[in-house]
Amino acid sequence: MHLGEAQRDMRRAHVNGGAGIFVSGLVWAIAGLVTLNVDIFAGMATLFFGGMAIHPLSVLIARRVYQRGKPRSPNPLEMLALQSTAFLIIGLVIAYLVSDTHQDWFFPIVLLTVGARYLVFQTIYGMRLYLVLGVILIAVAAFAIWLGITPAFVALTGGGIELLCAAIMLVPAKR
């Protein structure tokens, strides 16, 4: 399977990746609301446990709502997507360790990690929108650390950006 064919197959099966961005955006927004209304530790737990549900829920949405099937086997880009999950695990560990002394940095560090992973998704899906999304999330996270922006605002902003991007990807896919 050539790269272009593998990318088309991934776009077809995963609705351009929009279902995953949608679920991720919801998780980030909920984590931001929990942080705002409860505390940062509850928000951190919400992001952690909600993050574990992103892939299964996005596959469910792709299959049930958009009537998409699995990617054709063997699609090497599926393995690249799975391997890039290591970025998220490493980022979460770093964010958790740093949060012991700088708890306001937890969400920005995780957002940096998510943005970096989206840079890889540009190759997986063959869509430049992932490059734009990744750079925007990285910039938001960097400014949040630099300017000391509140954790809830960082989570809500990251979630809002992802939800907007998901709409750009999912609305045309429904036609």
Side-chain angles (χ1 to χ4, degrees), residues 26-27 37 50 78 84 110 117 147 160 164 167 173 175:
L26 286 178
V27 168
N37 294 303
E78 249 192 329
S84 71
V110 177
R117 186 172 189 230
L147 300 173
L164 177 63
R175 295 181 196 157

Side-chain angles (χ1 to χ4, degrees), residues 58-70:
S58 67
V59 169
L60 184 69
I61 290 170
R63 298 222 173 106
R64 301 295 169 135
V65 176
Y66 291 91
Q67 308 300 311
R68 304 296 170 96
K70 295 179 181 178

